[in-house]
Amino acid sequence: MDNHILVVEDDAAIREGVRILLEGEGYIVQEAEDGYQCLKKVSDDIDLVILDIMMPKKDGLTVLKEIRKKGSKIPVLLLTAKGEVDDKVEGLDAGANDYLTKPFHAKELLARLRAMTRVQMESEDSQLKAGNVTLDRATFELTTPKGSIRLANKEYQMMEFLMSNPGHLISSERFFEKIWGYDSEAELNVVWVYLSNLRKKLSSLDADIQIRATRNAGYSLEELK
């Protein structure tokens, strides 16, 4: 499983109970006892945050807003007291992915975590990223901060091949074999035509990656120097 979870809870007994439960399920757990510790420990190494709302020094809603303000999309499960309907609404509006009312059952907590990590993995699997470029596998859209372009089917297949193997040389023959197949009536130079089109589209989007040609070897996706 190898999911890293940060448990943020000021009640030491609850925090320890959650840690023991999660470690027993194979999760790797870090702890924070207040909002300040949470903000210090949230990083790319953390896959999900369990965040209590009612904490001293800096409450969970404030922490959540600061996490989202920094642009982080890390999944956050809020822990709320029984009657805090407004907090639940505010938390979801502030970017929480789900909430759980205390006291909660261990089975429900684990079910929520499984659902959230599954959604996160599916979301990540649907997109490829390289530099400032994102390729959406569902829509065939190539996107940068400047805009987006929908690729034609074979353009998409070539771009997906390149982005799945960043920095690796891929020969024209390999492209042809994978995308057109040896039985195709197309000729090898069709690969060069499609790569040329992709280069133009990357350039029009101000991409910070390029399709680099290496003489007599192939093509690779590299960052612009």
Side-chain angles (χ1 to χ4, degrees), residues 100-149:
L100 194 57
T101 301
K102 295 193 290 187
F104 51 82
H105 196 285
K107 286 184 178 179
E108 184 175 9
L109 172 62
L110 293 173
R112 298 289 181 98
L113 295 181
R114 285 194 298 270
M116 289 173 69
T117 52
R118 185 167 60 247
V119 168
Q120 177 75 355
M121 287 173 63
E122 289 171 355
S123 174
E124 289 172 355
D125 288 347
S126 72
Q127 293 186 338
L128 286 171
K129 294 185 179 181
N132 68 346
V133 177
T134 300
L135 179 65
D136 192 311
R137 285 170 157 154
T139 65
F140 289 15
E141 285 189 341
L142 196 65
T143 303
T144 69
K146 184 176 179 180
S148 63
I149 294 175

Side-chain angles (χ1 to χ4, degrees), residues 61-129:
L61 289 176
T62 301
V63 171
L64 173 61
K65 290 172 184 176
E66 291 188 26
I67 289 173
R68 293 296 183 243
K69 193 174 181 181
K70 292 176 181 177
S72 174
K73 295 181 180 179
I74 187 169
V76 175
L77 173 67
L78 285 180
L79 299 181
T80 71
K82 190 170 183 180
E84 296 169 336
V85 176
D86 290 343
D87 283 344
K88 293 173 186 175
V89 172
E90 188 178 353
L92 292 171
D93 286 344
N97 299 78
D98 202 354
Y99 65 84
L100 194 57
T101 301
K102 295 193 290 187
F104 51 82
H105 196 285
K107 286 184 178 179
E108 184 175 9
L109 172 62
L110 293 173
R112 298 289 181 98
L113 295 181
R114 285 194 298 270
M116 289 173 69
T117 52
R118 185 167 60 247
V119 168
Q120 177 75 355
M121 287 173 63
E122 289 171 355
S123 174
E124 289 172 355
D125 288 347
S126 72
Q127 293 186 338
L128 286 171
K129 294 185 179 181

Side-chain angles (χ1 to χ4, degrees), residues 2-225:
D2 210 31
N3 285 117
H4 291 66
I5 296 184
L6 177 60
V7 179
V8 190
E9 166 67 66
D10 64 306
D11 187 314
I14 295 176
R15 194 172 64 246
E16 183 179 7
V18 171
R19 176 181 60 77
I20 292 170
L21 171 68
L22 297 185
E23 287 179 345
E25 294 293 319
Y27 292 100
I28 297 169
V29 181
Q30 291 191 42
E31 298 178 49
E33 63 183 26
D34 59 50
Y36 289 105
Q37 282 189 9
C38 172
L39 291 171
K40 286 180 181 178
K41 292 188 175 186
V42 169
S43 68
D44 292 339
D45 295 330
I46 301 295
D47 298 303
L48 189 144
V49 179
I50 298 174
L51 180 61
D52 187 32
I53 286 182
M54 297 295 291
M55 291 188 297
K57 299 183 182 178
K58 191 177 287 241
D59 67 87
L61 289 176
T62 301
V63 171
L64 173 61
K65 290 172 184 176
E66 291 188 26
I67 289 173
R68 293 296 183 243
K69 193 174 181 181
K70 292 176 181 177
S72 174
K73 295 181 180 179
I74 187 169
V76 175
L77 173 67
L78 285 180
L79 299 181
T80 71
K82 190 170 183 180
E84 296 169 336
V85 176
D86 290 343
D87 283 344
K88 293 173 186 175
V89 172
E90 188 178 353
L92 292 171
D93 286 344
N97 299 78
D98 202 354
Y99 65 84
L100 194 57
T101 301
K102 295 193 290 187
F104 51 82
H105 196 285
K107 286 184 178 179
E108 184 175 9
L109 172 62
L110 293 173
R112 298 289 181 98
L113 295 181
R114 285 194 298 270
M116 289 173 69
T117 52
R118 185 167 60 247
V119 168
Q120 177 75 355
M121 287 173 63
E122 289 171 355
S123 174
E124 289 172 355
D125 288 347
S126 72
Q127 293 186 338
L128 286 171
K129 294 185 179 181
N132 68 346
V133 177
T134 300
L135 179 65
D136 192 311
R137 285 170 157 154
T139 65
F140 289 15
E141 285 189 341
L142 196 65
T143 303
T144 69
K146 184 176 179 180
S148 63
I149 294 175
R150 190 178 189 281
L151 300 179
N153 184 39
K154 284 186 167 55
E155 287 179 336
Y156 162 76
Q157 290 182 59
M158 294 187 82
M159 198 67 207
E160 183 190 37
F161 199 12
L162 285 162
M163 291 181 74
S164 297
N165 299 276
H168 291 205
L169 280 169
I170 304 170
S171 67
S172 297
E173 290 80 8
R174 184 76 183 92
F175 273 120
F176 191 83
E177 174 194 355
K178 181 175 176 61
I179 296 168
W180 281 269
Y182 284 128
D183 295 335
S184 171
E185 295 181 2
E187 296 184 7
L188 187 61
N189 63 4
V190 72
V191 172
W192 310 330
V193 173
Y194 274 83
L195 287 172
S196 176
N197 288 342
L198 284 173
R199 280 174 165 156
K200 290 174 185 175
K201 289 180 178 181
L202 286 170
S203 178
S204 72
L205 290 170
D206 290 343
D208 61 6
I209 55 174
Q210 64 177 337
I211 300 170
R212 183 169 173 265
T214 301
R215 190 175 178 83
N216 298 324
Y219 301 85
S220 57
L221 202 62
E222 308 281 352
E223 290 188 15
L224 285 167
K225 303 296 184 184

